[in-house]
Amino acid sequence: MEKNSFARLIAQQLNLQERAVGNTLALLDEGCTIPFISRYRKERTGGLDEVQIAAISNQYKRFKEIQKRKETVLKTIADLDKLTLELEKRINDCWDATELEDIYLPYKPKRRTRAQVAREQGLEPLAKILLLQREHNPERAAEKFIKGDVKDVATAIKGAQDIIAETVSEDERIRQQLRGAFRRQAYITSKVVKAKADTDEAAKYSDYFDWKEPLKRCSSHRLLAMRRGENEGMLRISISPDDDECIERIQRHYVYGNTSCSKLVAEAVEDGYKRLLKPSIETEFAALSKEKADEEAIHVFAENLRQLLLGAPLGQKRVMGIDPGFRTGCKVVCLDAQGNLLHHEAIFPHPPVNKRMESAMAIQKMLQKYQIEAISIGNGTASRETNDFIRDVLAGRYNIPSPSNASSQYEPQIFTVSEDGASIYSASKIARDEFPDEDVTVRGAISIGRRLMDPLAELVKIDPKSIGVGQYQHDVDQTKLKNALDYTVESCVNNVGVNLNTASQHLLMYVSGLGPTLAKNIVDYRKENGAFTARAQLKKVPRLGPSAFQQCAGFLRIPGASNPLDNSAVHPESYYIVEQMAKDQNCAVIDLINNKEKREAIDIKRYVTAEVGIPTLTDILKELEKPGRDPREQIEEFEFDSRVNTIDDLIEGMELSGIVTNITNFGAFVDIGVHQDGLVHISQMANRRIAHPTDVVKLHQHIHVRVIEVDRRRNRISLSMNGLS
């Protein structure tokens, strides 16, 4: 099929302009990445954003898969010598995967069915006689077919009914009709497996021991929970419409009158429905509903991951990272402004060791020696206690005298950061390569410190599934999940931009057009030749050719480069435009950046060409206004309410500050400083109906909540945001 036809189909499905879709497909086929196309090819795409381009890419892949499937279908039917011109046209015109399989079903190679056996016994003519329903005595008609394995009339009639049952199950109209019934009225039912009902393993699925609801209203998290219970052998799940109504509707298509033949056909239809048709459509809807639930869960995970990766960075500051703990102590590291390890040690301020004064003195010494500007504390075990301890040290409550040679007193800010996945990173090959001489506890504390400085640069080193912001992420399609998360990471990295001289290999591999090999080659080149001073030097990196340079250059930054555009999102292919603008204003490029009046004097229409339009020129001017600007928000300090430390301190009606730690379809989990996150159900997030929690909150947002219920037995906290700012 020609690309133009794909473009037309995709444009119709996504309600986009065919020309824009066609140009986007051409760019994708040229090897351009989605971030590059959306940022630097707006003239060709009509200004499509990343989401639209990704949707075009996904549809393109799907249509190509259907095209490949069509070729198999056509060849199989042709080999059977049953491919008519009409059938060939139907297949070629079909772009719905389900419809294609329905067309193919009667010709599809199958295992030896009861109907196939009956056909081999020569009973197909008898089936046709029964379907016509004109024979007054079907038994007498069946006598003519008694031979070989067909020993008697009953066997002959039963075989004919098997053929009718299979015919019904393969009837396209009937299959579509039944799908409509499933869509409208099917219920999903969950029952506990009786042998497992009283086990501890089954207890977590107790809500679904006897559950029934319309399939179309079943939320993704409930469906995934039920399917997990089914996979673990705790639940039995079924999906079914009104069987009697469906059988009656199908019989109307096949049964005429009330003759003996009609009754036999009616029996065959019912058998075909129960034995073949319904199980087939139920399997289809089980897969479709699971696929839809997967998509929702993956979308939630991807959006949470995006918010986490685009979390506010502290920037290049001298940071103390603390991985808190009780029995094993707190692992403390001191990092320079580039994230390099300067020092590490363990302190034991909490029970059972309780060396609080000794620990306070150690903290005070490190703060002064390494001139720490910020402290990053992991949010795991002993986080709240460690936070309180550090605040006491900074407040001078331990009366530790400053050394006579101490420099000016630093008042570092304190931040609590998520430590999800830190243990995964600390044991990974990436961490071993970065810190081969340090143990996993030190590496984990380094990760906690670096996450404060730049969440994106640090979190890309961890498998997104280990970051802890998903919903049933282990139950969804793992290939789709990986693709979605990889795309999210790539999108975030390119949205922010990457410092070419400080980025790790793992961060560079997500830059448009690079990947693991070129990322490694860039780091190796940097080690051998020193820091990059110009983007053009990328062309000297082994295997980084013109195409890769085109895709990556605009997303790589070089602070302090002699050409200020090398630290901006202006693509090298557009440098000549900026240089001409500067020339026309009788100044240097740096003057355009520093002088607002000169920028405002530029008439961008003068620079429009066949290749460069208003969208690109507008982007260039925006970038000159604030080159290399970080799109992320500024980080804010946060402190938990001093009245509460454990779940036992909570009182219904109490208003507290909290941090959003995870967002799901049904609500948001909030850390209020009591070692157990509380849940703000979606119904408690606003005084109006909202479609999704992300309409109200973002990951790591600081919010105010009210305690509405505390279930200490199950360790559950219910919170509300209603009526609070």
Side-chain angles (χ1 to χ4, degrees), residues 206-267:
S206 58
D207 289 346
Y208 305 106
F209 279 7
D210 188 15
W211 180 270
K212 183 177 182 180
E213 70 173 314
L215 179 63
K216 63 184 178 183
R217 293 183 191 161
C218 184
S219 65
S220 74
H221 63 272
R222 285 201 299 275
L223 191 137
L224 290 171
M226 284 187 269
R227 289 299 179 193
R228 179 188 286 181
E230 181 183 46
N231 291 336
E232 292 178 4
M234 307 297 162
L235 303 174
R236 285 199 180 91
I237 313 298
S238 63
I239 299 173
S240 178
D242 185 322
D243 288 336
D244 293 338
E245 183 181 323
C246 290
I247 291 168
E248 185 181 330
R249 284 193 175 201
I250 298 170
Q251 285 176 339
R252 284 194 218 124
H253 284 273
Y254 283 93
V255 180
Y256 321 114
N258 193 29
T259 65
S260 298
C261 281
S262 301
K263 291 175 182 176
L264 293 174
V265 172
E267 290 174 5

Coordinates of all heavy atoms in Angstrom, one line a residue, residues 206-267:
S206 N -10.5 -10.1 48.8 CA -11.8 -10.3 49.4 C -12.9 -9.4 48.8 O -14.1 -9.8 48.8 CB -11.7 -10.1 50.9 OG -11.3 -8.8 51.2
D207 N -12.5 -8.2 48.3 CA -13.5 -7.4 47.7 C -14.1 -8.0 46.4 O -15.2 -7.6 46.0 CB -12.9 -6.0 47.3 CG -12.6 -5.2 48.5 OD1 -13.1 -5.5 49.6 OD2 -11.8 -4.2 48.3
Y208 N -13.4 -9.0 45.9 CA -13.9 -9.6 44.6 C -14.3 -11.0 44.7 O -14.4 -11.7 43.7 CB -12.7 -9.4 43.6 CG -12.3 -8.0 43.4 CD1 -11.1 -7.6 43.9 CD2 -13.1 -7.1 42.7 CE1 -10.7 -6.3 43.7 CE2 -12.7 -5.8 42.6 CZ -11.5 -5.4 43.1 OH -11.1 -4.1 42.9
F209 N -14.5 -11.5 46.0 CA -15.0 -12.9 46.2 C -16.3 -13.1 45.5 O -16.6 -14.2 45.1 CB -15.0 -13.2 47.7 CG -13.7 -13.5 48.3 CD1 -12.5 -13.4 47.6 CD2 -13.6 -14.0 49.6 CE1 -11.3 -13.7 48.1 CE2 -12.4 -14.3 50.2 CZ -11.2 -14.1 49.4
D210 N -17.2 -12.1 45.5 CA -18.5 -12.2 44.9 C -18.8 -10.9 44.3 O -19.6 -10.1 44.8 CB -19.5 -12.7 45.9 CG -20.9 -13.0 45.3 OD1 -20.9 -13.2 44.1 OD2 -21.9 -13.1 46.0
W211 N -18.3 -10.6 43.1 CA -18.4 -9.3 42.5 C -19.0 -9.4 41.1 O -18.7 -10.3 40.4 CB -17.0 -8.7 42.5 CG -16.9 -7.3 41.9 CD1 -16.8 -6.9 40.5 CD2 -17.0 -6.1 42.6 NE1 -16.8 -5.6 40.4 CE2 -16.9 -5.0 41.6 CE3 -17.2 -5.7 43.9 CZ2 -17.0 -3.7 42.0 CZ3 -17.2 -4.4 44.3 CH2 -17.1 -3.4 43.3
K212 N -19.8 -8.4 40.8 CA -20.4 -8.3 39.5 C -20.7 -6.9 39.2 O -21.3 -6.2 40.0 CB -21.7 -9.2 39.5 CG -22.4 -9.2 38.1 CD -23.6 -10.1 38.1 CE -24.3 -10.3 36.8 NZ -25.5 -11.1 36.8
E213 N -20.3 -6.5 38.0 CA -20.6 -5.1 37.5 C -20.6 -5.1 36.0 O -20.0 -6.0 35.3 CB -19.6 -4.1 38.1 CG -18.2 -4.2 37.5 CD -17.3 -3.1 38.0 OE1 -17.8 -1.9 38.0 OE2 -16.2 -3.4 38.4
P214 N -21.2 -4.1 35.4 CA -21.2 -4.0 33.9 C -19.7 -3.8 33.4 O -19.0 -3.0 34.0 CB -22.0 -2.7 33.6 CG -22.9 -2.6 34.8 CD -22.1 -3.1 36.0
L215 N -19.3 -4.5 32.4 CA -18.0 -4.5 32.0 C -17.6 -3.1 31.5 O -16.5 -2.6 31.8 CB -17.8 -5.5 30.8 CG -16.4 -5.5 30.2 CD1 -15.3 -6.0 31.2 CD2 -16.4 -6.4 28.9
K216 N -18.5 -2.4 30.9 CA -18.2 -1.1 30.4 C -17.9 0.0 31.5 O -17.4 1.0 31.2 CB -19.3 -0.6 29.4 CG -20.6 -0.4 30.1 CD -21.7 0.0 29.0 CE -23.1 0.2 29.6 NZ -24.1 0.5 28.6
R217 N -18.4 -0.4 32.7 CA -18.1 0.5 33.8 C -17.0 0.1 34.7 O -16.7 0.8 35.7 CB -19.4 0.7 34.7 CG -20.6 1.4 33.9 CD -21.8 1.5 34.8 NE -22.9 1.9 34.1 CZ -24.2 1.8 34.5 NH1 -24.4 1.2 35.7 NH2 -25.2 2.2 33.8
C218 N -16.4 -1.0 34.4 CA -15.3 -1.6 35.3 C -14.1 -0.8 35.1 O -13.5 -0.7 34.0 CB -15.1 -3.0 34.9 SG -13.9 -3.8 36.0
S219 N -13.6 -0.1 36.2 CA -12.4 0.7 36.1 C -11.2 -0.1 35.8 O -11.1 -1.3 36.2 CB -12.2 1.5 37.4 OG -12.0 0.7 38.4
S220 N -10.1 0.5 35.3 CA -8.9 -0.3 35.0 C -8.3 -0.9 36.2 O -7.8 -2.1 36.2 CB -7.9 0.6 34.3 OG -7.3 1.5 35.2
H221 N -8.3 -0.2 37.4 CA -7.6 -0.8 38.5 C -8.4 -1.9 39.1 O -7.8 -2.9 39.6 CB -7.3 0.3 39.6 CG -8.6 0.9 40.2 ND1 -9.2 2.0 39.7 CD2 -9.3 0.6 41.3 CE1 -10.2 2.3 40.4 NE2 -10.3 1.5 41.4
R222 N -9.7 -1.9 39.0 CA -10.5 -3.1 39.5 C -10.3 -4.3 38.5 O -10.1 -5.4 39.0 CB -12.0 -2.7 39.6 CG -12.3 -1.9 40.8 CD -13.8 -2.0 41.1 NE -14.7 -1.5 40.1 CZ -15.0 -0.3 39.8 NH1 -14.6 0.7 40.6 NH2 -15.9 0.0 38.8
L223 N -10.3 -4.0 37.2 CA -10.1 -5.1 36.3 C -8.8 -5.8 36.4 O -8.6 -7.0 36.5 CB -10.3 -4.6 34.9 CG -10.4 -5.8 33.8 CD1 -11.5 -5.5 32.8 CD2 -9.1 -6.0 33.1
L224 N -7.7 -4.9 36.6 CA -6.4 -5.5 36.7 C -6.2 -6.2 38.1 O -5.5 -7.2 38.1 CB -5.3 -4.3 36.7 CG -5.2 -3.7 35.3 CD1 -4.3 -2.5 35.3 CD2 -4.6 -4.8 34.3
A225 N -6.9 -5.7 39.1 CA -6.9 -6.5 40.4 C -7.5 -7.8 40.3 O -7.0 -8.8 40.7 CB -7.6 -5.6 41.5
M226 N -8.7 -7.9 39.6 CA -9.4 -9.2 39.4 C -8.5 -10.1 38.5 O -8.4 -11.3 38.8 CB -10.7 -8.9 38.7 CG -11.8 -8.4 39.7 SD -13.4 -8.3 39.0 CE -13.5 -6.7 38.3
R227 N -7.9 -9.6 37.5 CA -7.1 -10.4 36.6 C -5.9 -11.0 37.3 O -5.4 -12.1 37.1 CB -6.7 -9.7 35.3 CG -7.8 -9.4 34.4 CD -8.4 -10.7 33.9 NE -9.6 -10.5 32.9 CZ -10.4 -11.4 32.6 NH1 -10.3 -12.7 33.0 NH2 -11.4 -11.1 31.7
R228 N -5.3 -10.1 38.2 CA -4.2 -10.6 39.0 C -4.6 -11.8 39.9 O -3.9 -12.8 40.1 CB -3.6 -9.5 39.9 CG -2.4 -9.9 40.7 CD -2.0 -8.8 41.7 NE -1.3 -7.8 41.0 CZ -0.7 -6.7 41.7 NH1 -0.9 -6.6 43.0 NH2 -0.1 -5.8 41.0
G229 N -5.8 -11.6 40.6 CA -6.3 -12.7 41.4 C -6.6 -13.9 40.6 O -6.4 -15.0 41.1
E230 N -7.1 -13.8 39.4 CA -7.3 -14.9 38.5 C -6.0 -15.6 38.2 O -5.8 -16.8 38.2 CB -8.0 -14.5 37.2 CG -8.3 -15.6 36.3 CD -8.9 -15.1 35.0 OE1 -8.4 -14.1 34.4 OE2 -9.9 -15.7 34.5
N231 N -4.9 -14.8 37.8 CA -3.6 -15.4 37.5 C -3.0 -16.1 38.7 O -2.2 -17.0 38.5 CB -2.7 -14.3 37.0 CG -3.1 -13.7 35.6 OD1 -3.8 -14.4 34.9 ND2 -2.7 -12.5 35.3
E232 N -3.3 -15.6 39.9 CA -2.7 -16.3 41.1 C -3.6 -17.4 41.5 O -3.3 -18.1 42.6 CB -2.6 -15.2 42.2 CG -1.5 -14.2 41.9 CD -1.4 -13.2 43.0 OE1 -2.1 -13.3 44.0 OE2 -0.6 -12.2 42.8
G233 N -4.7 -17.7 40.8 CA -5.5 -18.9 41.1 C -6.5 -18.7 42.3 O -7.0 -19.6 42.8
M234 N -6.7 -17.4 42.6 CA -7.6 -17.1 43.7 C -9.0 -16.8 43.3 O -10.0 -17.0 44.0 CB -7.1 -15.9 44.5 CG -5.7 -16.0 45.0 SD -5.4 -17.4 46.1 CE -3.7 -17.6 46.0
L235 N -9.2 -16.3 42.1 CA -10.5 -15.9 41.6 C -10.8 -16.6 40.2 O -9.9 -17.0 39.5 CB -10.5 -14.4 41.3 CG -10.2 -13.5 42.5 CD1 -10.2 -12.0 42.1 CD2 -11.2 -13.6 43.7
R236 N -12.1 -16.7 39.9 CA -12.6 -17.1 38.6 C -13.3 -15.9 38.0 O -14.3 -15.5 38.6 CB -13.5 -18.4 38.7 CG -12.7 -19.6 39.0 CD -13.5 -20.9 38.6 NE -12.8 -22.1 38.9 CZ -12.9 -22.8 40.0 NH1 -13.7 -22.3 41.0 NH2 -12.2 -23.9 40.2
I237 N -12.9 -15.5 36.8 CA -13.5 -14.4 36.2 C -14.3 -14.8 34.9 O -13.8 -15.6 34.1 CB -12.4 -13.3 35.7 CG1 -11.5 -13.1 36.9 CG2 -13.1 -12.0 35.3 CD1 -12.1 -12.5 38.1
S238 N -15.4 -14.2 34.7 CA -16.2 -14.5 33.5 C -16.8 -13.2 33.0 O -17.1 -12.3 33.8 CB -17.3 -15.5 33.7 OG -18.2 -15.1 34.6
I239 N -17.0 -13.1 31.7 CA -17.6 -12.0 31.0 C -18.8 -12.5 30.2 O -18.6 -13.4 29.4 CB -16.7 -11.2 30.1 CG1 -15.5 -10.6 31.0 CG2 -17.4 -10.1 29.4 CD1 -14.4 -10.0 30.1
S240 N -20.0 -12.0 30.4 CA -21.2 -12.6 29.7 C -22.3 -11.6 29.6 O -22.5 -10.8 30.5 CB -21.7 -13.8 30.5 OG -22.8 -14.4 29.9
P241 N -22.9 -11.6 28.4 CA -24.2 -10.8 28.2 C -25.3 -11.7 28.7 O -25.2 -12.7 29.3 CB -24.2 -10.6 26.7 CG -23.6 -11.8 26.2 CD -22.5 -12.3 27.2
D242 N -26.5 -11.3 28.4 CA -27.7 -12.1 28.6 C -27.8 -13.2 27.6 O -28.1 -13.0 26.4 CB -29.0 -11.2 28.5 CG -30.3 -11.9 28.9 OD1 -30.4 -13.1 28.6 OD2 -31.2 -11.3 29.5
D243 N -27.5 -14.4 28.1 CA -27.4 -15.6 27.1 C -28.7 -15.8 26.4 O -28.7 -16.0 25.2 CB -26.9 -16.8 27.9 CG -25.4 -16.7 28.3 OD1 -24.7 -16.0 27.7 OD2 -25.1 -17.4 29.3
D244 N -29.8 -15.9 27.1 CA -31.1 -16.2 26.5 C -31.4 -15.2 25.4 O -31.9 -15.6 24.3 CB -32.2 -16.2 27.6 CG -32.0 -17.4 28.6 OD1 -31.3 -18.4 28.2 OD2 -32.5 -17.3 29.7
E245 N -31.2 -13.9 25.7 CA -31.5 -12.9 24.7 C -30.6 -13.0 23.5 O -31.1 -12.9 22.3 CB -31.3 -11.5 25.3 CG -31.7 -10.4 24.4 CD -31.5 -9.0 25.0 OE1 -31.7 -8.9 26.2 OE2 -31.0 -8.1 24.3
C246 N -29.4 -13.3 23.7 CA -28.4 -13.5 22.5 C -28.8 -14.7 21.7 O -28.8 -14.6 20.4 CB -27.0 -13.6 23.1 SG -26.3 -12.0 23.8
I247 N -29.1 -15.8 22.3 CA -29.5 -17.0 21.6 C -30.8 -16.7 20.8 O -30.8 -17.1 19.6 CB -29.7 -18.2 22.6 CG1 -28.4 -18.6 23.2 CG2 -30.3 -19.4 21.8 CD1 -28.5 -19.6 24.3
E248 N -31.7 -16.1 21.4 CA -33.0 -15.8 20.7 C -32.7 -14.9 19.5 O -33.3 -15.1 18.4 CB -33.9 -15.1 21.7 CG -35.3 -14.8 21.1 CD -36.2 -14.1 22.1 OE1 -36.0 -14.3 23.4 OE2 -37.1 -13.3 21.7
R249 N -31.8 -13.9 19.6 CA -31.6 -13.0 18.5 C -30.9 -13.8 17.3 O -31.2 -13.6 16.2 CB -30.6 -11.9 18.9 CG -31.3 -10.8 19.7 CD -30.4 -9.6 19.9 NE -31.1 -8.5 20.5 CZ -30.8 -7.3 20.4 NH1 -29.8 -6.9 19.7 NH2 -31.5 -6.3 21.1
I250 N -30.0 -14.7 17.7 CA -29.3 -15.4 16.6 C -30.3 -16.4 16.0 O -30.2 -16.6 14.7 CB -28.1 -16.2 17.2 CG1 -27.1 -15.2 17.8 CG2 -27.4 -17.0 16.1 CD1 -26.0 -15.8 18.6
Q251 N -31.1 -17.0 16.8 CA -32.1 -17.9 16.2 C -33.0 -17.3 15.2 O -33.4 -17.9 14.2 CB -32.9 -18.6 17.3 CG -32.0 -19.7 18.1 CD -32.8 -20.3 19.2 OE1 -33.7 -19.7 19.7 NE2 -32.3 -21.4 19.7
R252 N -33.3 -16.0 15.4 CA -34.1 -15.3 14.5 C -33.5 -15.2 13.1 O -34.2 -15.1 12.1 CB -34.4 -13.8 15.0 CG -35.4 -13.7 16.1 CD -35.8 -12.3 16.3 NE -36.0 -12.0 17.7 CZ -35.4 -11.1 18.4 NH1 -34.6 -10.3 17.8 NH2 -35.6 -10.9 19.7
H253 N -32.2 -15.2 13.0 CA -31.5 -15.2 11.7 C -31.5 -16.6 11.0 O -31.4 -16.6 9.8 CB -30.0 -14.8 11.9 CG -29.8 -13.4 12.2 ND1 -29.7 -12.4 11.2 CD2 -29.7 -12.7 13.4 CE1 -29.5 -11.2 11.8 NE2 -29.5 -11.4 13.1
Y254 N -31.7 -17.6 11.8 CA -31.5 -19.0 11.2 C -32.7 -19.9 11.3 O -32.8 -20.8 10.5 CB -30.4 -19.7 11.9 CG -29.0 -19.2 11.5 CD1 -28.3 -18.2 12.1 CD2 -28.4 -19.8 10.4 CE1 -27.1 -17.8 11.7 CE2 -27.1 -19.4 9.9 CZ -26.5 -18.4 10.6 OH -25.2 -17.9 10.2
V255 N -33.6 -19.6 12.2 CA -34.8 -20.5 12.4 C -36.1 -19.8 11.8 O -36.4 -18.7 12.1 CB -35.0 -20.7 13.9 CG1 -36.2 -21.7 14.1 CG2 -33.7 -21.3 14.5
Y256 N -36.7 -20.6 11.0 CA -38.0 -20.2 10.4 C -39.1 -21.2 10.8 O -38.9 -22.4 10.5 CB -37.9 -20.1 8.8 CG -36.6 -19.6 8.3 CD1 -35.7 -20.4 7.6 CD2 -36.2 -18.3 8.6 CE1 -34.5 -20.0 7.2 CE2 -35.0 -17.8 8.1 CZ -34.1 -18.6 7.4 OH -32.9 -18.2 7.0
G257 N -40.2 -20.7 11.3 CA -41.3 -21.6 11.6 C -41.1 -22.5 12.8 O -40.2 -22.2 13.6
N258 N -41.9 -23.6 12.8 CA -41.8 -24.5 14.0 C -41.8 -25.9 13.6 O -42.5 -26.8 14.1 CB -43.0 -24.2 14.9 CG -42.9 -24.8 16.3 OD1 -41.8 -25.0 16.8 ND2 -44.0 -25.1 16.9
T259 N -41.1 -26.2 12.5 CA -41.0 -27.6 12.0 C -40.0 -28.4 12.7 O -39.2 -27.9 13.5 CB -40.7 -27.5 10.5 OG1 -39.3 -27.0 10.3 CG2 -41.6 -26.6 9.7
S260 N -39.9 -29.7 12.4 CA -38.9 -30.6 13.0 C -37.5 -30.1 12.6 O -36.6 -30.1 13.5 CB -39.1 -32.0 12.5 OG -40.4 -32.5 12.9
C261 N -37.3 -29.6 11.4 CA -36.0 -29.1 11.0 C -35.7 -27.8 11.8 O -34.5 -27.6 12.2 CB -36.0 -28.8 9.5 SG -35.8 -30.2 8.4
S262 N -36.7 -27.0 11.9 CA -36.5 -25.7 12.6 C -36.0 -26.0 14.1 O -35.1 -25.3 14.6 CB -37.8 -24.9 12.7 OG -38.2 -24.6 11.4
K263 N -36.6 -27.0 14.7 CA -36.2 -27.3 16.1 C -34.7 -27.8 16.1 O -34.0 -27.5 17.0 CB -37.1 -28.4 16.7 CG -38.5 -27.8 16.9 CD -39.5 -28.9 17.4 CE -40.9 -28.4 17.6 NZ -41.8 -29.4 18.0
L264 N -34.3 -28.6 15.1 CA -32.9 -29.1 15.0 C -32.0 -27.9 14.8 O -30.9 -27.9 15.4 CB -32.8 -30.1 13.9 CG -33.6 -31.5 14.2 CD1 -33.5 -32.4 12.9 CD2 -33.0 -32.2 15.4
V265 N -32.4 -27.0 13.9 CA -31.5 -25.8 13.7 C -31.4 -25.0 14.9 O -30.3 -24.5 15.3 CB -32.1 -25.0 12.5 CG1 -31.3 -23.7 12.4 CG2 -32.0 -25.8 11.2
A266 N -32.5 -24.8 15.6 CA -32.5 -24.0 16.9 C -31.5 -24.6 17.9 O -30.8 -23.9 18.6 CB -33.9 -23.9 17.5
E267 N -31.6 -26.0 18.0 CA -30.6 -26.7 18.9 C -29.2 -26.4 18.5 O -28.3 -26.2 19.3 CB -30.9 -28.2 18.9 CG -32.2 -28.6 19.6 CD -32.5 -30.0 19.4 OE1 -31.7 -30.8 18.9 OE2 -33.6 -30.5 19.9

